[in-house]
Amino acid sequence: MSSGDDDLKWGRSTVETVCTLDCPDTCSLEVTVEKGKIVSIDGSDKNPVTDGYICGKVRRFSERVYGDARVTDPLVRTGPRGAEKWKTVTWDEALGTIATRMTEIRQQWGAQSILPFSYGGSNGLLSQDTADARLFRQFGTSRLARTVCAIPTTTANQALYGKMPGVTYPDYCHAKLIVLWGANPSSSGIHLVPHIKAAQEAGAALVVIDPRRTNLARRADLHLAVKPGTDVVVALSIHRYLFEHGLADEQFLADHAKGVTRLRERATEWTFDRAAAVAELDPELLENFAEMYADISPAVVRCGWGLERNRNGGNAALAVLALPAVAGKFGVRGGGYSMSNADAWALSADDWIGTPEPNTRMVNMNRLGRALLEYQDPPIQMLFVYNCNPVATMPNQNLVLEGLAREDLFTVVFDQVMTDTAKLADVVLPATTFLESYDVAQSYGLTNLQLARPVIEAVGNARPNVEVFAELATRLGLEVDTDYGSDVEALIRLTADLPDEAQHKLMDSGFAEGVAGGRPIQFIDVFPRTPDRKICLFPENLERENVTGLYRYKDQPTSSDYPLTLISPATDKTICSTLGELRSRVASLHIHPEDAEPRGLTTGDTVRVFNEFGEVHCLVTLNADMRHGTVGLPKGLWRMSTLNGSTANALVSDDLTDIGGGATFNDARVQVARMVTVSFSSDRAQTTPQIKRVH
């Protein structure tokens, strides 16, 4: 029997689609389905860069699709908030309840007492800012500043270059120097790793700037284990070196940049010795890095998002992204910078939303707890959460939990699984995953667009975002556009805004490559998208908005009570908090042996990690790859993954970054103390305890 006959016998088929999760790579996928159920998820070669290889996170995504945490029907709370007592209802009843409450709340408190809450990193272009945005704009709700991730770096990139597309993965092989700054592709963006290794094998040097000795840092020619929050002074010391030693590309700057003098002035004070003292580095390492960056071309800087997660995050991004301009690294393949290429297609959601954004109250999502408990005129009376799990992802977790515990707050959560946030809702709506509906994935590491196709029917009664928000708009008596009656209709509407050739390629083959065949050379194929097409090295509007000024360093006072810096880096287990429900082991705090020894800690101990905001009870792992004075808990943990139901975000304030109003996760300062030793049976002596309960 042939393989085709065998597939027919077993009702097996393979469907091509794409991963829409929050990762730069947008892997093309081949999903095998048997009798209507997913049996395997593999990579395909549709995307030539990802080329058939996918991460373990996506390979096991069917565990989310069919897992115990999956929400398959609309639910209405019947017991005390958080008791997880639910009644299954129909969509008609659930949407009717929501529409009635929205109308009542608007009548009593005004529409701005309703706060939509979403962050669509793990969604395509259809699942956010289509029918949902039209509904909330027409209804006049409060607006949300989506600032929990990427806003300081995005603001810097926009101000400097107008978000000019950057160097993509295939051109890293042409670089002779690669700088990974605040990025760890081994955990997020794995398809860059082989290109880096290939470049190294061809003789390229690698510099990694990260508080941890990551896998790539071990392979690097130079690793700068900077103190979190000090990246800006490291970058400014490189600028000073370039200017003071005649190594700045004055001709390029004269032709293509403005604000050069102001940047030079701000960099003048940052000698290697002073910057090294602040960043707690050997000044000789800084000098070595500066010499390498000045001397070696082509050189590419991969600016990640780790460097933005502190009080100086915006200025750090400005200083790092300005380096290729000052050093004259543009205009050659493999030279320049990589940041986000999400705007390579210059698409604007406003073009397909069709309703202007109202001038209603703006709420910074990083201050959700404060908004729920303190905001007045009007107070928040309804929270509509979708594409987001704020209990697991927002700063000041305990304040968020306190706000969500309000009995007078009406909370709707529209999600695929029963998240920590959904457990506190009044109504929970079941959403489809990217394997159950149409969408368009826009890469931000590369420049392509790919078509996400449903590979199975929706599980249970799950429905796509566009369909639900369009129906809710109808119930609220709002102007409804038939373009958003379903995900298919929304797909047709959105792709109509693409160039004709790209539209045809996307719809015919599921893949459309971006500018210059997906391999743009900066200042050859692409140029700054600023009004005058010049690099703005000193954006005056940001200088006015920034209390400390541009290219300034703001120190954080030290505390003997909380002497350790807590960071929460991404891991290879989750995408932000997505897939956190699949974690089966208690999380561990990673700590350097020199920090563990005076606290009497050894691997496997139970510890209390605490500060003035809260505490986390978890296990501890001694890890010499951590920077001395810095400890780490994984990003995106769910409450069940610790021993007391608190995660790293319970230790983070809702203070904002210098530029953009971003989150300052890596400014958390903590103390660590031993609690009790977890005992194991002999056959589990080397393992981490399994999670037995959900908080």
Side-chain angles (χ1 to χ4, degrees), residues 373-545:
L373 293 171
E374 300 175 9
Y375 285 20
Q376 300 297 323
D377 195 26
I380 303 298
Q381 294 296 122
M382 177 179 175
L383 185 70
F384 199 124
V385 179
Y386 61 107
N387 299 349
C388 194
N389 181 11
V391 169
T393 55
M394 294 303 117
N396 208 339
Q397 184 180 67
N398 288 328
L399 203 65
V400 172
L401 289 169
E402 185 180 347
L404 288 170
R406 283 174 41 200
E407 279 298 333
D408 64 330
L409 177 71
F410 184 70
T411 301
V412 177
V413 174
F414 183 18
D415 211 317
Q416 302 159 6
V417 296
M418 186 61 72
T419 65
D420 287 336
T421 310
K423 292 172 185 176
L424 298 171
D426 295 279
V427 178
V428 180
L429 304 176
T432 51
T433 69
F434 71 90
L435 298 174
E436 299 161 89
S437 56
Y438 282 99
D439 216 325
V440 175
Q442 181 179 23
S443 179
Y444 63 92
L446 308 170
T447 63
N448 59 65
L449 292 175
Q450 294 186 68
L451 178 63
R453 299 178 175 91
V455 304
I456 56 170
E457 296 291 334
V459 172
N461 286 305
R463 293 171 66 179
N465 286 22
V466 289
E467 181 181 314
V468 171
F469 285 113
E471 183 173 337
L472 184 57
T474 299
R475 290 172 179 268
L476 291 169
L478 303 177
E479 177 186 338
V480 178
D481 192 323
T482 56
D483 289 346
Y484 294 121
S486 70
D487 54 340
V488 176
E489 291 165 328
L491 175 66
I492 295 170
R493 170 65 187 88
L494 185 146
T495 54
D497 289 317
L498 296 174
D500 288 344
E501 182 179 1
Q503 181 182 357
H504 293 148
K505 286 183 176 179
L506 184 67
M507 301 303 285
D508 291 344
S509 69
F511 187 91
E513 191 54 272
V515 61
R519 299 177 63 179
I521 302 174
Q522 293 173 313
F523 285 86
I524 297 292
D525 302 309
V526 292
F527 293 86
R529 292 173 172 175
T530 52
D532 57 4
R533 283 174 53 112
K534 288 184 177 291
I535 305 167
C536 185
L537 290 174
F538 200 92
E540 293 290 349
N541 63 314
L542 296 185
E543 168 79 353
R544 291 189 294 271
E545 296 170 9

Side-chain angles (χ1 to χ4, degrees), residues 222-410:
L222 187 65
H223 172 216
L224 302 181
V226 295
K227 180 181 179 181
T230 64
D231 301 85
V232 60
V233 304
V234 172
L236 288 173
S237 74
I238 309 303
H239 282 292
R240 182 184 187 277
Y241 174 83
L242 295 171
F243 283 121
E244 295 298 318
H245 289 80
L247 298 169
D249 190 333
E250 300 289 356
Q251 187 60 57
F252 177 85
L253 292 172
D255 292 342
H256 296 287
K258 59 185 181 182
V260 179
T261 301
R262 299 293 302 278
L263 168 57
R264 180 171 184 164
E265 289 171 352
R266 294 285 165 94
T268 300
E269 63 182 294
W270 291 105
T271 64
F272 290 140
D273 285 340
R274 186 181 179 203
V278 170
E280 297 182 1
L281 295 170
D282 182 344
E284 187 174 339
L285 293 180
L286 284 186
E287 187 171 3
N288 291 344
F289 174 37
E291 290 173 348
M292 292 171 70
Y293 192 68
D295 293 345
I296 303 175
S297 290
V300 60
V301 176
R302 171 67 171 99
C303 180
W305 292 271
L307 60 81
E308 75 167 17
R309 293 158 63 94
N310 63 82
R311 65 205 174 281
N312 300 307
N315 275 309
L318 281 172
V320 170
L321 290 172
L323 283 170
V326 174
K329 300 299 183 182
F330 292 121
V332 60
R333 193 171 293 281
Y337 70 85
S338 300
M339 184 62 253
S340 171
N341 286 322
D343 287 319
W345 288 86
L347 299 174
S348 172
D350 285 332
D351 292 338
W352 55 75
I353 293 172
T355 299
E357 188 172 21
N359 187 29
T360 54
R361 173 174 59 186
M362 182 72 78
V363 176
N364 187 311
M365 69 188 311
N366 293 311
R367 290 181 166 168
L368 174 60
R370 194 181 302 197
L372 294 177
L373 293 171
E374 300 175 9
Y375 285 20
Q376 300 297 323
D377 195 26
I380 303 298
Q381 294 296 122
M382 177 179 175
L383 185 70
F384 199 124
V385 179
Y386 61 107
N387 299 349
C388 194
N389 181 11
V391 169
T393 55
M394 294 303 117
N396 208 339
Q397 184 180 67
N398 288 328
L399 203 65
V400 172
L401 289 169
E402 185 180 347
L404 288 170
R406 283 174 41 200
E407 279 298 333
D408 64 330
L409 177 71
F410 184 70

Side-chain angles (χ1 to χ4, degrees), residues 590-602:
H590 284 242
I591 186 170
H592 192 280
E594 292 182 15
D595 293 316
E597 192 275 331
R599 294 171 173 82
L601 301 177
T602 189

Side-chain angles (χ1 to χ4, degrees), residues 141-160:
T141 67
S142 286
R143 295 174 293 158
L144 185 73
R146 296 184 181 128
T147 52
V148 73
C149 180
I151 192 64
T153 43
T154 297
T155 303
N157 194 7
Q158 177 67 50
L160 288 170

Side-chain angles (χ1 to χ4, degrees), residues 29-47:
L29 303 177
E30 287 185 349
V31 183
T32 301
V33 178
E34 188 172 296
K35 297 181 179 178
K37 188 170 182 177
I38 297 167
V39 294
S40 68
I41 302 174
D42 295 295
S44 83
D45 59 4
K46 178 76 70 175
N47 183 345

Side-chain angles (χ1 to χ4, degrees), residues 177 200 204-208 216-223 292:
L177 174 65
Q200 286 185 286
L206 175 64
V207 176
V208 174
L216 284 169
R218 294 189 190 97
R219 296 176 52 94
D221 298 87
L222 187 65
H223 172 216
M292 292 171 70

